């Protein structure tokens, strides 16, 4: 066996999302051969790649079928998260992907989805930050058990930089970490927008594969400010199955599809899809309707990223400062992990096939 033999065989292994073989995509590294022992590393486009097992099996089969049926093949994985940023890099220069999690209305569990998405991506090996952009209703301090904690400052820029808190392996920033939670944030739109801009420009996010931004409900000033400040890789839309939520989700989709904005929709996730009581784990009760989010994704030809059940432990975990991804509830964790894997896959496909998002300058 030679290295050329191995690479020729692996040229038959397709990367499922990028539409080419892993050798042409320069994803195969460190080919080692010792007798019948073969090892190599596949460089994934994201640590959270849900196709990892499929690619491993395909690679092993290719070597055994085309090179040596007695080969003992060891496939290792590493990741180099792909990015499509072409901006000058003055703002968030080390952040590869900026993902805005949005909803047309409140009450659909957007913050819960954002928090557990960030954690699931981090558990997959990615470097992740979570920015709570919901100025008037910040949830991160409660959900991550950091109420009352304050971020520190470090030297950098004209005024210094804010150092985000770290919890459960991800970086956190929220207006709730800067103001007393007993006080209402009574700000006009320009002040709220200014705060969001500071969270982007004056926080030391450092190196991240994904910065997940929990946006406020609706389609307003803060959304526009974010897109005028930094190029957003894409948007994840959160909805629940009922018609009222779907109608508002359509407004969110329409906003980001406008010609002067043009931010890609990474996908739709349906939260509170069904209720499963703890004592009847195999039962599903469709309290808010059935598969409304899935039908919406089909209507707009947008990737459907999954269904998250309505489970008591999700609410309890958020209230106690321990999101569901940090608990032992394997069923619900699996739902969020599958969702995060599909989201990471959709982001990788977006970066491979679409033009880079530009910072918007004027919105009429």
């Amino acid at each position: 066996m030679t290295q050329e033999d191995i690479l020729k065989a692996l040229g038959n292994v397709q990367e499922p999302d990028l539409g080419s073989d892993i050798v042409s995509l320069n994803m195969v590294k460190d080919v080692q051969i010792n007798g019948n022992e073969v090892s190599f590393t596949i460089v994934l486009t994201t640590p959270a790649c849900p196709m990892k097992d499929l690619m491993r099996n395909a690679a092993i089969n290719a070597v055994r079928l085309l090179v040596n049926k007695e080969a003992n093949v060891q496939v290792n994985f590493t990741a180099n998260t792909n990015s499509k940023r072409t901006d000058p890099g003055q703002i968030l220069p080390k952040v590869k992907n900026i993902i805005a999690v949005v909803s047309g209305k409140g009450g659909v569990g957007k913050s819960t989805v954002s928090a557990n998405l960030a954690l699931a991506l981090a558990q997959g090996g990615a470097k992740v930050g979570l920015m709570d952009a919901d100025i008037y209703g910040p949830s991160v301090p409660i959900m991550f058990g950091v109420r009352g904690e304050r971020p520190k400052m470090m030297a950098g820029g004209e005024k210094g930089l804010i150092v985000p808190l770290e919890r459960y392996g991800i970086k956190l920033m929220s207006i709730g970490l800067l103001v007393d939670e007993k006080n209402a944030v009574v700000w006009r739109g320009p002040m709220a927008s200014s705060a969001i801009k500071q969270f982007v420009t004056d926080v030391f996010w450092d190196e991240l594969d994904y910065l997940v931004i929990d946006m406020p409900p609706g389609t307003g000033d803060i959304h526009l400010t974010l897109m005028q400040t930094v190029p957003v890789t894409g948007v994840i839309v959160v909805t629940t199955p009922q018609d009222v939520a779907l109608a508002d989700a359509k407004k969110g989709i329409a906003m980001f599809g406008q010609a002067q904005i043009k931010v890609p929709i990474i996908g739709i996730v349906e939260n509170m899809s069904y209720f499963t009581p703890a004592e009847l784990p195999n039962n599903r009760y469709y309290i808010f309707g059935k598969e409304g989010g899935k039908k919406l994704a089909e209507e707009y030809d947008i990737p459907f990223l999954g269904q998250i059940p309505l489970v008591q432990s999700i609410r309890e975990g958020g209230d106690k400062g321990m999101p569901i991804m940090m608990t032992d509830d394997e069923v619900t964790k699996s739902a969020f992990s599958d969702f995060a894997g599909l989201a990471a896959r959709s982001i990788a496909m977006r970066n491979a096939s679409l033009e880079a998002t530009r910072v918007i300058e004027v919105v009429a």
Side-chain angles (χ1 to χ4, degrees), residues 308-362:
I308 309 298
L310 177 61
V311 180
Q312 184 174 337
S313 57
I314 296 179
R315 191 274 304 165
E316 291 175 343
D319 287 349
K320 293 177 181 177
M322 182 175 288
I324 199 70
M325 286 304 299
M326 305 310 301
T327 70
D328 56 3
D329 184 340
E330 294 301 329
V331 174
T332 312
K333 283 173 64 176
S334 178
F336 276 112
S337 294
D338 291 346
F339 153 54
L342 289 173
R345 180 184 179 191
S346 190
I347 293 165
M349 292 172 66
R350 172 261 179 276
N351 287 337
S353 60
L354 299 179
E355 292 184 2
T357 306
R358 301 181 183 278
V359 175
I360 64 173
E361 296 180 1
V362 178

Side-chain angles (χ1 to χ4, degrees), residues 215-287:
M215 299 297 293
T219 52
D221 287 350
I222 290 177
H223 300 74
L224 295 177
T225 297
L226 176 67
M227 291 180 290
Q228 288 173 321
T229 304
V230 69
V232 175
T233 305
V235 170
I236 292 175
V237 179
V238 183
T239 187
T240 49
Q242 73 267 42
D243 289 344
V244 171
L246 295 171
D248 289 321
K250 290 179 180 180
K251 296 174 184 175
I253 294 171
M255 174 187 182
F256 293 101
Q258 290 181 28
Q260 63 266 54
I261 295 178
K262 273 296 181 189
V263 176
I265 305 294
I266 297 300
I268 294 173
V269 60
E270 184 185 275
N271 194 28
M272 307 183 204
S273 297
Y274 51 85
F275 172 62
T276 296
E279 62 275 11
L280 296 170
N282 296 320
N283 288 27
R284 293 185 177 185
Y285 302 95
Y286 296 92
I287 297 173

